[in-house]
Structure formats: structure tokens, C-alpha cells
Amino acid sequence: MKFVGLIVAAGRGERMGSSVPKQYLNIGDRSVLRCSIETFLKRPDTYSVLVVIHPNDRALYDEAITGIADKRLLQPVEGCATRSGSVRAGLEALQSLSPSHVLIHDGARAHVTPEIIGNVLSGLESSAGALPAVPVVDALWQASGDHVVQSVPRAGLWRAQTPQGFSFPDILAAHRAFEGEAADDVAVASAAGLAVRVVEGAEENYKITTRSDLERAERDLNVQPDVRTGQGFDVHALGPGQSVILCGVEIPNDHGLVGHSDADVGMHALTDAIFGALAEGDIGQWFPPTSPAWKGAASAIFLAKAVERANARSFTITHLDCTLICERPKIGPHSDRMREELGRIAGLSKERISVKATTSEKLGFAGRGEGIAALATATLVRK
Ligand code: MG
């Protein structure tokens, strides 16, 4: 049997409420679509895999398949506004390969397994079509508005899944002859009079439609939440001046802090802690001290950049902790305002931000009043 996996992933998935189509959202570190592609490629008997994508999604698709070197994964083809149209486009593109069979799969069913594919292939040995499905076990009721009217017998009822397998020439002809929009490919096959056998699907092979489906998928795959802790450390020398800026708050002092920017050592350490959690270098790489652009800059710019990077990568900052090490000025009276200021920049409630201070018992540079040091940690959780 020379079979091809045809994965339809051209939908917009509006019920997910995400700007990115659901098939490109991640379950752990793999996109929903990639899960299906990899499952098809896991089977040595898969001849090829072709994905039908939306014309706007080429960049998302390329990102989703990064690192897949298997030559059996063909260049994607562009789909249409309707599912039937997209399947048809995929089937037409496969004609030159002359497969004996095609397994048409919904790109939003991330949990298809090699075993389900095997069940479909077994079904195709004795039938022109094979439908993986699970029996309906719940009582079924018909309602009018929100009131039940009558029960519906569930005997012989199945919940359809994908991949739905077919003899390739038969389903291509069926699609060419079909007009209108079908619920799935079994509907197209049935309209053409093809026999379709029900084979065993699996409860886990559900369609990811809503945000809670995606969360369920993460639980099912036992994906560990991506929680990260980053650390930061910074030192600035004390020099002439009448105030210091620490964690965004100006405090009168007998010396100022020396630095290219406003020398806010606390905010720099926090910024580095976030970059550390993201594994995206450090503040010096993002804002080179050699650049005149950052001369005298308010350090809020640096922290805001790190926060922006975290958000862009779907991380939520859940906690920030900063320890300032100095003999003077006294930090305690200002720590509340510092937490408020940091919270304003990082978009975080004050309750999730800690600013504390210690002296170094008059030891070392901080103890001698030559400079101020800051330690910080940031905790980030991927949404
Ligand atoms: Mg610094």
C-alpha cells in the first residue's frame, strides 16, 4: 500500500481567540501541526506527507517544521476558504505521485498515534474508505431551546475522527464530483457511493478547538510548564553627586552613581535577570555602553525592553526580587516606591516584586562606600 498523509491545516481556528491559527500554537515546544506531521513520519510505511496551508501562513509553517529533515515531507500547497476546497487542492497536488491510498487528517488533531493510522490502513485492506471513530457513550438528548424534548437512541452512533483513509483514485474522483461543503471526507466519499468502514479511533485523538483543549493537550502530553529563573548582578561606582537612582527612585545621597546611563544598578540587575531567564544575552548586548544613544538614559528603557522580549515570547513575569548591597543610602524607607515603580514598568503587581537591602558589614568596595552592588532574580512562566 503506497499511502500519503494529507494534513489539512488551512483553517483560521477563530474559536481559539488567538491571533495565530491554532495549528501553529504550541503544545510544549512543538506546534499542534508539527505533532501530526511527526506522527505520520514516525511510520516507516508512510510514503509522503503533504500539508495544505493557508496562503498567509507560509512563514508560520516554515517555523513549525524547522529541523524536520525527512524528505518524505513535501512542499506545502495552499488551500482555499473551505475545507473541501483545501482537501481537493491537496489531492490534486498528489496526483503526480500516484499513491494507492491517502489518509486525510485534520491538522488540529495533534494526538493522532501511529496505532490509529495503522487501524485506518487495516480498514482500507477491505474497504475503499476507513473512518477512525469512537462510539457515543453518553445519553443523547434533543432539546428545544434549553429544554429537553426527547432522547435520541445512541446505538450505532459514532464520533468521527481523522485521519480518514481512502483509495486515492476513488476519493479524488469523489471530490471532483462533489459540490458544496461537506462535514468531512467520509461525507464526500459516501455521496460518491464509496463504502467506508469504521475502525477504532481513540478518545485522545480529539480536535483542538478552544484554549481549554490546548491546555488539555499539554496535560495529556505531560508537558512540564516552562518556568524559568534568571539571575542578574551589577555594580556601579559611587562618585560626585547629590543623589542616586535605585530601582527607578531618586534618593538624596552624599554621592552619585557613575555610569553611562543613569547607573540604576538595581534596575540593571533586574533587566539582566529577565534576559537571563529568556537566555537572550545581557543588558550590555542589548544596550551597548559604547553607544551614545544610551548616554544618561533612564534605565526604565532597559527593563521595559526585557519585559517586551518576555511578552513577545509568551512569558509572564511572575516575580522579581532585587537585593541592593550598600552602606548608604538607607533603602528601607524607599522600597515601597521602588516596588511600585518596577511594577509600573514590568506590568506586575507590587505583591510580586521584592526590593530589599543589605550592607556588607563595611567589608569590600560596597562596605568602603566605593560603589553599590545589586543582585536580582526574575521568575518567568510561559503562558
Ligand atoms: Mg549597570
Side-chain angles (χ1 to χ4, degrees):
M1 192 182 286
K2 179 178 170 183
F3 80 89
V4 174
L6 176 61
I7 303 177
V8 189
R12 302 287 79 197
E14 270 134 18
R15 270 179 289 177
M16 185 63 77
S18 158
S19 56
V20 175
K22 63 186 176 184
Q23 58 272 34
Y24 298 106
L25 294 176
N26 272 20
I27 304 171
D29 55 5
R30 293 190 306 163
S31 68
V32 168
L33 176 59
R34 187 182 179 116
C35 293
S36 296
I37 294 173
E38 288 187 341
T39 302
F40 272 95
L41 292 175
K42 228 181 246 175
R43 287 192 61 109
D45 53 354
T46 300
Y47 184 76
S48 292
V49 176
L50 175 68
V51 182
V52 185
I53 64 171
H54 190 279
N56 296 347
D57 292 348
R58 185 57 201 252
L60 287 168
Y61 176 80
D62 288 343
E63 196 190 324
I65 61 153
T66 304
I68 298 180
D70 197 318
K71 295 273 186 293
R72 293 177 298 163
L73 179 59
L74 306 173
Q75 283 295 310
V77 296
E78 291 184 357
C80 313
T82 63
R83 186 183 182 282
S84 307
S86 293
V87 173
R88 170 89 185 269
L91 292 172
E92 297 288 353
L94 287 173
Q95 221 192 344
S96 58
L97 290 181
S98 305
S100 67
H101 291 84
V102 61
L103 269 59
I104 305 171
H105 184 60
D106 192 329
R109 290 186 195 268
H111 297 308
V112 61
T113 61
E115 292 71 33
I116 297 170
I117 294 172
N119 294 345
V120 174
L121 295 174
S122 298
L124 288 173
E125 285 169 11
S126 59
S127 177
L131 164 71
V134 290
V136 173
V137 292
D138 300 317
L140 292 179
W141 282 91
Q142 191 176 28
S144 172
D146 57 2
H147 281 76
V148 295
V149 177
Q150 60 179 354
S151 69
V152 178
R154 66 182 177 218
L157 289 185
W158 295 83
R159 287 188 287 130
Q161 301 186 334
T162 71
Q164 298 176 354
F166 305 95
S167 135
F168 179 76
D170 287 344
I171 194 68
L172 177 60
H175 263 278
R176 283 177 176 169
F178 191 83
E179 281 175 22
E181 183 59 7
D184 61 7
D185 300 291
V186 167
V188 175
S190 297
L194 298 179
V196 179
R197 214 178 132 177
V198 176
V199 299
E200 196 180 343
E203 284 295 340
E204 73 204 66
N205 186 26
Y206 56 86
K207 192 170 175 175
I208 295 170
T209 306
T210 62
R211 180 65 62 179
S212 74
D213 294 335
L214 197 65
E215 287 162 8
R216 176 182 170 193
E218 300 218 318
R219 286 195 301 276
D220 287 354
L221 287 180
N222 205 8
V223 173
Q224 297 303 315
D226 193 349
V227 180
R228 299 170 173 214
T229 304
Q231 60 158 224
F233 175 71
D234 197 27
V235 173
H236 278 266
L238 284 159
Q242 280 138 22
S243 67
V244 291
I245 296 175
L246 292 171
C247 295
V249 174
E250 186 166 10
I251 305 171
N253 194 41
D254 52 3
H255 287 81
L257 281 167
V258 182
H260 186 65
S261 64
D262 66 6
D264 187 337
V265 64
M267 213 176 292
H268 294 184
L270 284 161
T271 303
D272 256 355
I274 297 170
F275 283 136
L278 294 170
E280 285 201 24
D282 59 39
I283 193 170
Q285 284 165 258
W286 282 90
F287 301 97
T290 47
S291 164
W294 316 121
K295 184 149 179 57
S299 297
I301 299 168
F302 310 151
L303 182 60
K305 182 67 183 182
V307 171
E308 180 196 310
R309 285 302 308 149
N311 291 336
R313 289 189 36 205
S314 302
F315 280 97
T316 302
I317 299 168
T318 59
H319 185 246
L320 294 173
D321 186 15
C322 180
T323 302
L324 296 163
I325 305 165
C326 57
E327 301 294 328
R328 278 197 319 273
K330 286 266 165 275
I331 302 301
H334 307 284
S335 71
D336 249 22
R337 270 179 61 215
M338 291 176 176
R339 292 163 66 208
E340 274 161 23
E341 183 59 11
L342 293 170
R344 188 184 62 77
I345 300 161
L348 202 56
S349 81
K350 198 171 107 175
E351 285 63 42
R352 291 177 178 271
I353 299 174
S354 154
V355 175
K356 54 201 192 303
T358 184
T359 70
S360 60
E361 300 290 342
K362 299 216 159 44
L363 297 171
F365 68 86
R368 292 189 297 270
E370 294 165 10
I372 296 180
L375 295 163
T377 55
T379 306
L380 277 61
V381 180
R382 192 159 200 164
K383 280 174 244 178

